[in-house]
Amino acid sequence: MSHITYNKEWREAQQALADLFENEKPPEAQKPEKDKVAFFQFLATMYIKYIQILRKLEACYDQIVHPQKRLVLRNVLDGVLGRLLELKQEMVDLECLEYHFFDDILSDLKLTPNDVEMPIPKYFVLEQEKNLRARQQLLGQILAKMGPSEKEEKAAEVKMSLEEAIRLVQVHERARQGRLRAKFMREIREQEEKSRQDATRGAPTLDPVDAAVRIQKLWRGVMIRRKVTRLRDDEFVWLGMNPPAQFLTAKKSTAQVHALKVQDMRRVTQSMHRQEYDQALVTIKEKLRETEGPDMKETMQDQIRQWFLECRDATGKFPDYPDGEEGSAELFKQKSVAELERELKEKEEGGGKGKGGKKGKKGGKSGGKKGKDAKGKKGGKGKKGKKDDDDDEGLKMKESKFTGDIGRAMQEYESIWKLRDESDNFQQKHDSELIKEAKRVEVEREIRQQVDELMRQELQNLKVAIDKEKVRKGKKSGKKKKGKKGKKSGKKGKKGKKEKDLTPDSTIEELFEELVMNGIIKKVPKVSMADYEGEYNYLGTTLKQANLEPMPSLADVRRTVSELACLPMGSEVVHKSAPLVKSLLLAGPSGIGKKMLVHAICTETGANLFDLSATNLAGKYPGKDGLRRLMHLIFKVGRALQPSVFLIDDCDKMFKKKIPKSDTSDPKRLKKELPKAMKNVKVDDRLLLVGCSRSPWEAEVKPFCSLYQRILLIPRPDYASRHLIWRRLLAKHNGIITGALDVSTLAKVTDGNTMGQIKLCCEEILTERRLAQMAKRPLTTQEFIPVIARREFVHSEEEEAFKKWYDRTPLGKKRAKAIAADEEEAQGGGKGKGKGKGKGGKKGKKK
């Protein structure tokens, strides 16, 4: 797309943001909402609109090449990201659920689920691409030094059982016999064909016209049948019964490839324009200092000298020079009308207090009586006051930390970029006039500091020469006293204990290498969050209205993980002010994609992966000193190379009551040290602990849930998600979907299978040999049935166990209490009103 297109999209996003910003009132100005459902609808609508704005802003920031526009866009983008996370937290606090369903709101706004897909900004990775490339290169060099790991060596040494060896020999022997049999049959057919030709050699031949007609008939029949087949396939695609042809292949079309090339070219142009802009910042500032600096200095000195003379004429003495940070700038600062009014009010209040001091003493007795009357009135209306407070109580949006940043960025856009004429700037390079305006202020500030030093000395000389003022020694002694106080305060500050650095002489690169050599830091496979396939749940709100608890779909899981992990971890600005998430627990059956989500978090944010699983730590860093060093290393390196993700697989074993003797990995090793270390994680530390669990009910609930701040329950995929997974995986493995392969049947048969099991089925069937036969022998549904039957299923009992365990978590208990309170309010609404009237009558009698 062109520059004009992205500028237009930015304008639309800013207009939508301005319309939405009208609802962003401070909590004091909001009207309280008593209906919880209506308040959630309001929050969800704002949430969806912010996602739409975020999608547009992210596309603009990724492709706009103007460096100064990108700075404004970045501020707006970070503000919208943070506000989105705040709204998400408010919805979680309101509903006591991690997953939310917006199908009714999407229907009202006439949107599709793809329109509100959570985008992950590309600048998370692109802006640290050089560091990531260098880190990957270092990791590759270290792994190359180590050689192949034990797992890879074991995989290379394939040990075959006796049954497998016999089966392999049988296959090859049967193939040999089949080839011989085919050879004999071919020879027999050739001999029969030869004898038939000899017999018909003297027979009369067909007329050429009849032969041509016969060939035409056969060829036209073939062509018509092909045309009918193609028309039938097109009709099925149009009806939605078959997927489109482009969906059946994982290869991208030429148009898509060209569009991606154009995007990469625009990113290269971005970096070039950015370098030119950085260079212009230095050159323009130097030029301003040379050309306008002397005039600025002379003007400032004349103004300050004039102020000296005016003050001496008015008071008879030279004034004291201002000592603030701004220096003499405070004297010539243009004040707004509001500031002038505030100063006048302060003066009037100060004068009023001085005059009314005696009156306050005289009116002491009368004031006491009034105070008693006031107390009496308060006592009489105490119960009514409570009623008024109850009437005012309701649901309000919390105060946002990002609306101020968004508002400032919007003002900058309105004042500079909205109506700016850029007809001469076709290449979208930096605007020198804007740089001059900004740098002129910096140059003026620097020159004013120099002028203040000179004029302060000049004023001192004038005071000595004209006013005969002597430099007092008291000032020096005062400074010494201040210095002593400062020393005392410094000693008090040293009392706070700091963590001892166990590796002061080692560099981060050396510590990084040590962790890689010990297998703690792992190489992350490239997996995007979009690879975690799943369909949207279209019946979530309907089931909630029917008092049923809907299970989230895999699309809901993908969106929630992006909100809790990717968006805060990717941006340092957002992480500082957004709701802090230190740890995340992914609980679900085996093969549901928990590790895939962890790899996606690391890929999308450019984070390092520290594997702290018990099986990975077995035999490494033994003893208390070793454990202490391990904790020190992972947090020191993690903070230095943030963002960082700490993974613990089978984390429920850490808090398990009894560990079997056969388990030699010592899973309880980090039980005490890790929670203590996670408490020291601050807002500035982009560190995330992610735990994966297949059986969380085996762990003790209280310590388990205290370590993991947010808990996500991942259910087995529903029918729509399985249908999508089958189609995607078949296309990825070059499997062609034809009429003989019914994907709907496969999705129905695999009810209870996870995406990992479905992937294994595809890999087992779609081998290279089977793909080579695809043209002659298309895929059929029957080929997959035996493979599916051998896979493990997630039974309903296991799913119920997950649900029961989740009800025992803090958020699950909170949800149960909220539902019980809502039911009590619904049932006791009429009784409560009657009781209220009776109490009101009694109060009236008392009065």
Side-chain angles (χ1 to χ4, degrees):
M1 292 194 288
S2 63
H3 302 313
I4 297 173
T5 307
Y6 286 112
N7 288 333
K8 183 182 177 184
E9 195 166 349
W10 185 21
R11 195 182 308 116
E12 290 173 358
Q14 288 288 154
Q15 185 59 45
L17 190 58
D19 296 339
L20 189 59
F21 214 65
E22 293 178 1
N23 296 324
E24 293 283 358
K25 298 175 183 176
E28 298 82 17
Q30 294 177 24
K31 291 183 179 179
E33 178 64 59
K34 293 185 179 180
D35 188 359
K36 191 184 285 187
V37 177
F39 187 65
F40 176 78
Q41 293 281 330
F42 172 69
L43 289 177
T45 305
M46 288 190 66
Y47 172 81
I48 289 170
K49 289 181 178 178
Y50 266 115
I51 290 178
Q52 290 182 284
I53 293 168
L54 178 62
R55 288 170 66 87
K56 289 183 179 180
L57 290 175
E58 195 277 326
C60 293
Y61 184 74
D62 183 47
Q63 292 298 303
I64 283 178
V65 297
H66 198 296
Q68 289 155 304
K69 287 181 182 177
R70 296 186 82 244
L71 293 175
V72 182
L73 261 169
R74 176 64 181 272
N75 293 334
V76 183
L77 186 59
D78 286 341
V80 171
L81 274 172
R83 185 66 188 127
L84 194 66
L85 296 177
E86 287 179 340
L87 288 172
K88 166 68 178 178
Q89 185 61 43
E90 286 197 43
M91 289 192 292
V92 171
D93 295 339
L94 181 65
E95 281 203 318
C96 303
L97 287 172
E98 293 287 359
Y99 302 106
H100 309 287
F101 306 97
F102 313 111
D103 44 300
D104 56 338
I105 301 172
L106 293 180
S107 178
D108 294 340
L109 297 175
K110 293 181 173 52
L111 299 173
T112 64
N114 292 330
D115 294 331
V116 293
E117 184 68 31
M118 183 63 69
I120 298 174
K122 298 179 185 67
Y123 78 84
F124 288 174
V125 176
L126 292 175
E127 291 192 356
Q128 52 175 345
E129 192 173 5
K130 290 182 181 178
N131 296 332
L132 291 176
R133 196 181 294 121
R135 200 183 302 162
Q136 289 297 324
Q137 190 175 358
L138 177 62
L139 183 61
Q141 290 173 358
I142 296 168
L143 292 174
K145 284 181 189 176
M146 293 170 60
S149 61
E150 293 180 3
K151 290 182 180 179
E152 292 175 354
E153 288 177 357
K154 286 179 182 178
E157 298 173 1
V158 179
K159 293 182 180 180
M160 193 179 294
S161 64
L162 181 62
E163 293 178 358
E164 289 176 349
I166 293 170
R167 187 180 177 187
L168 186 64
V169 172
Q170 286 177 343
V171 167
H172 282 279
E173 179 59 24
R174 287 168 185 168
R176 187 187 66 80
Q177 292 178 8
R179 284 192 293 272
L180 286 174
R181 195 179 297 110
K183 183 182 177 182
F184 293 147
M185 293 300 294
R186 185 169 62 252
E187 290 175 356
I188 291 168
R189 278 198 303 272
E190 287 175 357
Q191 191 175 0
E192 288 178 354
E193 186 67 26
K194 189 176 180 182
S195 60
R196 194 183 299 111
Q197 286 177 1
D198 293 340
T200 58
R201 196 169 284 170
T205 58
L206 276 174
D207 185 43
V209 177
D210 294 339
V213 169
R214 190 175 293 182
I215 292 169
Q216 286 177 356
K217 176 184 172 183
L218 293 172
W219 177 246
R220 285 173 180 171
V222 171
M223 293 298 293
I224 291 297
R225 281 190 292 274
R226 284 183 184 175
K227 186 178 180 180
V228 170
T229 304
R230 189 168 61 253
L231 288 172
R232 187 178 66 246
D233 292 341
D234 292 343
E235 186 178 4
F236 282 168
V237 170
W238 182 74
L239 292 171
M241 297 172 68
N242 282 347
Q246 52 193 303
F247 192 87
L248 301 177
T249 177
K251 294 180 181 178
K252 294 175 180 176
S253 63
T254 53
Q256 289 175 324
V257 172
H258 179 67
L260 292 173
K261 283 183 180 178
V262 171
Q263 288 180 2
D264 293 336
M265 288 169 61
R266 291 182 74 92
R267 291 191 188 106
V268 173
T269 309
Q270 278 178 9
S271 61
M272 291 169 59
H273 287 187
R274 178 70 189 189
Q275 290 174 2
E276 293 175 6
Y277 172 69
D278 293 337
Q279 190 176 356
L281 290 175
V282 179
T283 55
I284 290 174
K285 186 176 180 180
E286 291 297 326
K287 192 179 290 185
L288 283 172
R289 188 182 283 112
E290 291 173 4
T291 56
E292 299 182 13
D295 294 337
M296 286 182 185
K297 187 174 182 180
E298 189 176 347
T299 305
M300 288 177 192
Q301 287 177 338
D302 292 342
Q303 287 177 345
I304 294 169
R305 287 192 185 106
Q306 184 65 27
W307 175 66
F308 290 166
L309 296 173
E310 288 175 359
C311 289
R312 179 168 170 75
D313 293 341
T315 61
K317 289 183 180 180
F318 284 110
D320 292 330
Y321 207 88
D323 293 329
E325 291 182 0
E326 296 183 2
S328 59
E330 295 179 0
L331 302 173
F332 310 103
K333 188 178 179 182
Q334 293 182 354
K335 296 181 180 179
S336 62
V337 178
E339 289 176 346
L340 292 171
E341 287 179 356
R342 198 183 303 117
E343 286 183 4
L344 288 171
K345 282 182 181 178
E346 287 176 0
K347 287 179 181 179
E348 288 174 3
E349 288 174 2
K353 284 178 184 177
K355 290 177 183 178
K358 292 179 181 178
K359 287 182 182 179
K361 288 180 181 178
K362 287 179 182 178
K365 293 179 182 179
S366 60
K369 288 177 184 178
K370 284 180 183 177
K372 286 179 184 178
D373 294 340
K375 283 182 182 178
K377 285 179 184 177
K378 281 183 182 178
K381 292 186 180 179
K383 293 180 181 177
K384 284 188 180 179
K386 284 185 180 178
K387 275 191 177 181
D388 294 338
D389 292 342
D390 292 340
D391 292 339
D392 291 339
E393 281 181 4
L395 298 168
K396 290 183 181 181
M397 283 199 302
K398 297 175 183 176
E399 190 174 354
S400 173
K401 296 179 182 178
F402 293 94
T403 48
D405 297 337
I406 297 172
R408 284 189 289 273
M410 286 172 62
Q411 287 177 2
E412 189 174 353
Y413 170 78
E414 293 284 338
S415 60
I416 298 174
W417 298 110
K418 187 176 182 181
L419 301 174
R420 197 172 191 84
D421 183 16
E422 292 187 289
S423 55
D424 297 336
N425 191 8
F426 178 73
Q427 293 183 345
Q428 291 290 289
K429 292 189 176 182
H430 62 269
D431 194 329
S432 300
E433 293 301 321
L434 291 175
I435 297 175
K436 283 180 182 178
E437 290 175 11
K439 292 299 173 184
R440 190 175 282 113
V441 176
E442 291 183 15
V443 171
E444 186 177 354
R445 192 183 300 116
E446 291 173 4
I447 292 174
R448 188 169 290 281
Q449 289 177 357
Q450 299 172 5
V451 169
D452 285 344
E453 291 178 6
L454 294 172
M455 297 310 292
R456 194 175 281 113
Q457 186 63 39
E458 185 176 331
L459 178 62
Q460 189 65 34
N461 295 336
L462 286 170
K463 285 181 178 180
V464 172
I466 298 172
D467 291 345
K468 308 296 182 183
E469 184 178 328
K470 295 181 180 180
V471 179
R472 294 178 183 176
K473 294 181 181 179
K475 289 183 180 179
K476 291 182 181 179
S477 60
K479 285 181 182 177
K480 285 181 182 178
K481 286 178 183 177
K482 285 182 182 177
K484 286 179 183 178
K485 285 181 182 177
K487 285 181 181 179
K488 285 181 182 178
S489 61
K491 285 180 182 179
K492 287 179 182 177
K494 288 181 182 178
K495 288 182 181 178
K497 289 184 179 179
K498 293 183 180 179
E499 291 182 8
K500 188 179 178 182
D501 191 358
L502 301 178
T503 54
D505 300 328
S506 302
T507 61
I508 295 297
E509 288 77 13
E510 291 172 352
L511 301 178
F512 181 82
E513 183 175 355
E514 180 183 340
L515 290 173
V516 174
M517 295 284 282
N518 284 307
I520 306 298
I521 294 179
K522 299 281 187 180
K523 192 172 184 179
V524 181
K526 285 191 177 181
V527 180
S528 66
M529 194 60 73
D531 294 337
Y532 192 79
E533 301 287 353
E535 193 57 87
Y536 189 78
N537 189 352
Y538 294 93
L539 295 174
T541 309
T542 308
L543 293 172
K544 281 174 69 177
Q545 289 172 354
N547 295 325
L548 297 173
E549 285 292 334
M551 291 300 289
S553 66
L554 298 185
D556 298 322
V557 174
R558 181 175 65 237
R559 184 181 65 246
T560 307
V561 171
S562 300
E563 291 165 345
L564 296 179
C566 295
L567 298 185
M569 290 277 287
S571 173
E572 189 175 354
V573 177
V574 176
H575 192 269
K576 283 182 179 178
S577 302
L580 182 61
V581 179
K582 296 182 182 180
S583 52
L584 176 66
L585 174 63
L586 303 176
S590 178
I592 201 64
K594 298 184 288 294
K595 278 191 179 177
M596 183 182 180
L597 286 170
V598 176
H599 294 156
I601 292 169
C602 296
T603 304
E604 297 286 3
T605 60
N608 300 293
L609 181 62
F610 295 77
D611 191 356
L612 304 181
S613 305
T615 52
N616 189 47
L617 294 179
K620 299 170 186 175
Y621 295 99
K624 288 184 179 180
D625 293 337
L627 180 60
R628 190 181 169 199
R629 179 179 175 82
L630 171 65
M631 298 304 294
H632 169 73
L633 287 180
I634 62 174
F635 278 95
K636 184 176 180 179
V637 176
R639 285 189 176 98
L641 304 177
Q642 54 184 326
S644 299
V645 174
F646 303 138
L647 169 65
I648 302 180
D649 196 16
D650 292 331
C651 58
D652 52 278
K653 292 181 179 179
M654 187 186 293
F655 300 97
K656 206 172 180 180
K657 291 181 180 179
K658 291 183 180 180
I659 296 171
K661 294 180 180 179
S662 58
D663 190 354
T664 57
S665 60
D666 191 13
K668 289 191 175 184
R669 191 178 175 196
L670 301 175
K671 185 177 180 180
K672 291 182 180 179
E673 296 295 329
L674 188 60
K676 287 180 185 177
M678 289 305 297
K679 286 179 182 178
N680 295 328
V681 174
K682 299 176 183 176
V683 179
D684 297 333
D685 303 328
R686 285 187 289 161
L687 306 176
L688 181 68
L689 173 66
V690 183
C692 301
S693 177
R694 287 177 284 184
S695 52
W697 53 83
E698 293 182 357
E700 296 179 28
V701 177
K702 193 173 180 180
F704 191 37
C705 295
S706 64
L707 176 60
Y708 294 98
Q709 185 182 353
R710 307 299 284 269
I711 299 170
L712 294 183
L713 182 61
I714 307 176
R716 61 183 182 180
D718 54 4
Y719 171 79
S721 296
R722 292 195 304 274
H723 196 278
L724 180 63
I725 290 165
W726 270 111
R727 288 186 294 171
R728 296 287 190 190
L729 288 176
L730 287 169
K732 189 176 180 181
H733 290 83
N734 299 320
I736 300 173
I737 302 173
T738 59
L741 181 62
D742 190 0
V743 179
S744 180
T745 302
L746 291 176
K748 190 69 177 173
V749 169
T750 50
D751 185 13
N753 285 112
T754 59
M755 62 175 66
Q757 303 293 340
I758 295 173
K759 184 181 178 183
L760 290 174
C761 291
C762 290
E763 289 175 352
E764 189 171 343
I765 293 295
L766 297 173
T767 57
E768 291 183 8
R769 184 179 179 185
R770 183 65 186 86
L771 291 173
Q773 301 171 353
M774 197 73 69
K776 297 179 181 179
R777 191 162 64 91
L779 283 172
T780 60
T781 311
Q782 287 77 12
E783 292 181 65
F784 289 90
I785 300 301
V787 181
I788 293 169
R790 291 198 295 269
R791 299 295 165 198
E792 294 181 1
F793 283 77
V794 179
H795 299 285
S796 57
E797 292 83 4
E798 186 178 354
E799 196 169 3
E800 286 298 322
F802 274 108
K803 289 180 182 178
K804 287 179 181 177
W805 169 80
Y806 190 77
D807 290 340
R808 292 161 56 201
T809 61
L811 195 63
K813 290 178 180 177
K814 197 175 177 183
R815 172 72 176 167
K817 286 180 182 178
I819 291 172
D822 291 341
E823 288 177 355
E824 284 180 8
E825 283 182 11
Q827 290 175 2
K831 293 178 182 178
K833 285 180 183 178
K835 287 179 181 178
K837 285 179 184 177
K839 285 181 181 178
K842 287 179 183 178
K843 285 178 188 176
K845 285 179 184 178
K846 283 183 181 179
K847 286 178 184 178

